[in-house]
Amino acid sequence: MEIITKQSPQGCNNICPTPPPLPGPAMNCRRKGSATKGNSCASTATRDLWDNLFDRGYRADVTIRTNDGGIIYAHAGVLGMASPVLRDMLKQAKGVGHKRLISIHGVQHDAVRVFIRFLYSSCFEQEEMKELVLPLLVLSHAFVVPQLKRICEQQLENSLLTLDNVVDVFQLSLLCDAPRLVLLTHRMILRNIKAVSTTEGWIAMKRSHPALEKEILESMIYEEQMEKERIRKLNERKIYLQLYEAMEALVHICRDGCRTIGPCDKDLKDDQKPCTYEACKGIELLVRHFASCKLRAPGGCIHCKRMWQLLELHSRLCADSGSCRVPLCRNFKDKIKKQFKKDEMKWKILAKKILSTKRIGGEPFFLSSKSISSY
C-alpha cells in the first residue's frame, strides 16, 4: 500500500525530506510514530484497519474453502487487485446471491489464511512464516504474488534453510521458478551431501524423483572434477611463477651481483641490503655447483642438468642476447635455429605460459608473450 507523507510548503525549504528505507529481506520497516507488530511497512492504523477487515469479514462476498473443510471469508475487490489468478477464479466462480465460492486445496488451512491476510495488509507474523514458509512459497507462486514470493525466498536464504528441509526447498524452488534459491540449495546439498543423503527429504526424493537424484549426483561429480582442475591450474601457475622468479634472480646475479656472487667487474660487499629476489639464494647455490661440478655435461648431473635448462629457458625469454650478461645466452639463441620443430614447440609453449602467468612490466631484459611466437 502506498503511503503519502504531506509536508507544509512553508517548512520544505528548511527541512530535508526523510529518505526512504533501504530494501531488506522482509518488510520490517519501523517508522517514526508507529509501533510495529509482526512485519509490515504500513502504519499501525492502516495495518490494523485491513487486519480487522480480514479478521471480521465485514461484508465479505467471497467464501474460500480449504483442506479439511476450512472456510475463510474475504472480499472480491481485495483478492482481485492482489492476484490476477484469483481475479480469474472469481470471474468463473459460482455462488448464492452476492457471495461467490472458490477453493484453494493442496496446502493446510493455516497457510491459506496467512496468505489471504498478506493480500490485505502485507503483514505476517514471524512464527507463522517460520512454520509455513514452504506452502506460502507455493501459494505466492501459484497465485502470482511476487512480493510474498520474494519475502519467502529471502526468509529461507537468511535463516530458515536447514539440512533437514534443503531437499524439499530445492525441489520447490525448481517448481516455483526461483533460480537463486535453486542455486543456494544445490550448493548446500553438494557441500553437505553425506548428511543430506540421510534425511527424509532425500529418501522421499529418491523414491519419487530418481532422475533428480541422479542429476544431483552427476553435478557433484562434475563439481569435484572442476575443483581438481582448479587446483591443478593453481599448482601449474605456481610452478610458472617460480620459474619466472628464477629467471629474474639469474639475471640479477649475472648483471648486478648479489652480496657474495656476481660478475667479476662488480665490487661485492657482504654488508649489502638483503636481496629482494626470493629465488636468489637457490640460484646462487646452483650456479656455484655448476661452476665447480666435474660432471657438468648435460645428463651427467641432475643439478647441472637443471642449470642447463634454466640457461636455455632464459635465452628464450631474453630480449637482447647481444648485451646480456647471463652465460651462454647467445649460444642458446643460435642453437634454437637448429632445433627440431617438436622440441622448439615445447619450449615456446613453456615460455609463453611463463610470460602470460606473470604479467611482465618494467623488465626490459625479457620478451613479451607475443614476441615468443615470432622467433
Side-chain angles (χ1 to χ4, degrees):
M1 178 178 294
E2 184 180 4
I3 300 173
I4 302 176
T5 303
K6 295 182 179 180
Q7 292 185 347
S8 171
Q10 297 177 354
C12 63
N13 295 328
N14 299 326
I15 302 176
C16 296
T18 304
L22 293 174
M27 295 186 303
N28 195 15
C29 312
R30 186 178 294 275
R31 304 189 59 156
K32 185 176 180 181
S34 64
T36 306
K37 175 185 177 184
N39 295 268
S40 175
C41 281
S43 65
T44 303
T46 304
R47 190 197 64 242
D48 290 345
L49 176 66
W50 287 102
D51 274 344
N52 288 333
L53 181 64
F54 169 70
D55 292 335
R56 297 179 183 180
Y58 178 71
R59 291 195 174 184
D61 54 358
V62 178
T63 301
I64 303 173
R65 287 184 178 175
T66 64
N67 285 0
D68 301 325
I71 293 178
I72 299 173
Y73 297 104
H75 301 79
V78 176
L79 301 185
M81 290 300 297
S83 167
V85 177
L86 287 173
R87 186 187 312 142
D88 292 339
M89 290 176 65
L90 290 170
K91 289 179 180 179
Q92 301 173 11
K94 297 179 180 180
V96 180
H98 296 289
K99 287 196 174 182
R100 282 170 280 187
L101 176 65
I102 60 175
S103 298
I104 299 179
H105 297 299
V107 296
Q108 56 264 54
H109 172 83
D110 288 343
V112 180
R113 180 184 56 79
V114 173
F115 171 69
I116 299 299
R117 180 198 174 199
F118 185 88
L119 300 184
Y120 277 76
S121 60
S122 297
C123 295
F124 65 90
E125 300 294 339
Q126 189 60 41
E127 287 301 319
E128 293 176 335
M129 175 60 70
K130 184 177 180 180
E131 180 183 356
L132 304 170
V133 61
L134 296 184
L136 287 175
L137 176 63
V138 173
L139 289 170
S140 62
H141 174 73
F143 291 98
V144 193
V145 185
Q147 186 182 17
L148 178 58
K149 182 179 179 181
R150 190 160 51 248
I151 291 172
C152 292
E153 292 176 7
Q154 292 171 345
Q155 290 285 322
L156 284 166
E157 178 181 344
N158 293 336
S159 60
L160 302 182
L161 194 60
T162 65
L163 293 179
D164 292 328
N165 68 8
V166 64
V167 176
D168 295 331
V169 177
F170 175 66
Q171 294 180 85
L172 283 179
S173 302
L174 291 171
L175 296 173
C176 296
D177 190 23
R180 177 176 172 80
L181 203 53
V182 170
L183 180 62
L184 292 172
T185 51
H186 184 256
R187 286 179 176 176
M188 187 173 181
I189 290 172
L190 295 185
R191 286 196 305 265
N192 306 275
I193 187 65
K194 290 185 178 180
V196 172
S197 60
T198 61
T199 60
E200 294 181 2
W202 180 274
I203 295 171
M205 180 190 68
K206 184 177 180 179
R207 188 167 52 247
S208 59
H209 298 93
L212 186 57
E213 182 204 21
K214 183 180 177 181
E215 288 183 10
I216 294 176
L217 295 177
E218 288 176 350
S219 67
M220 183 181 68
I221 296 173
Y222 175 76
E223 289 289 336
E224 290 176 352
Q225 292 174 344
M226 292 297 292
E227 180 64 16
K228 290 180 181 178
E229 180 67 13
R230 186 184 69 85
I231 294 174
R232 186 191 66 80
K233 288 183 177 181
L234 286 175
N235 293 334
E236 188 179 78
R237 175 181 170 81
K238 185 178 179 181
I239 292 173
Y240 293 145
L241 286 173
Q242 289 173 347
L243 286 173
Y244 175 78
E245 291 169 359
M247 294 297 100
E248 281 187 320
L250 182 62
V251 173
H252 163 64
I253 290 174
C254 298
R255 185 188 64 177
D256 306 323
C258 182
R259 305 186 73 177
T260 61
I261 188 171
C264 57
D265 58 346
K266 290 288 183 179
D267 183 18
L268 303 177
K269 298 180 181 180
D270 292 339
D271 58 349
Q272 290 180 358
K273 294 181 180 180
C275 183
T276 57
Y277 293 93
E278 295 183 3
C280 191
K281 188 63 177 178
I283 296 297
E284 177 185 344
L285 295 175
L286 199 59
V287 170
R288 290 187 182 279
H289 170 84
F290 185 73
S292 60
C293 183
K294 296 180 180 180
L295 301 175
R296 191 186 303 171
C301 172
I302 185 173
H303 300 294
C304 292
K305 182 179 180 181
R306 187 177 301 169
M307 189 65 201
W308 284 111
Q309 291 171 340
L310 289 176
L311 290 172
E312 183 170 356
L313 179 60
H314 163 79
S315 69
R316 293 176 176 277
L317 299 177
C318 185
D320 186 7
S321 59
S323 60
C324 182
R325 303 294 298 273
V326 177
L328 304 176
C329 182
R330 182 189 292 273
N331 295 37
F332 277 111
K333 283 284 189 184
D334 296 336
K335 178 186 173 183
I336 291 173
K337 300 175 183 177
K338 303 176 183 179
Q339 208 166 31
F340 292 111
K341 287 187 177 181
K342 186 176 181 181
D343 295 333
E344 172 71 6
M345 186 58 63
K346 289 180 180 179
W347 281 104
K348 276 188 177 182
I349 292 173
L350 177 61
K352 289 181 71 174
K353 285 188 175 182
I354 291 173
L355 293 175
S356 60
T357 301
K358 181 75 174 182
R359 300 299 181 186
I360 297 176
E363 300 293 354
F365 42 84
F366 286 149
L367 293 169
S368 66
S369 58
K370 292 182 179 179
S371 302
I372 295 293
S373 304
S374 60
Y375 71 71

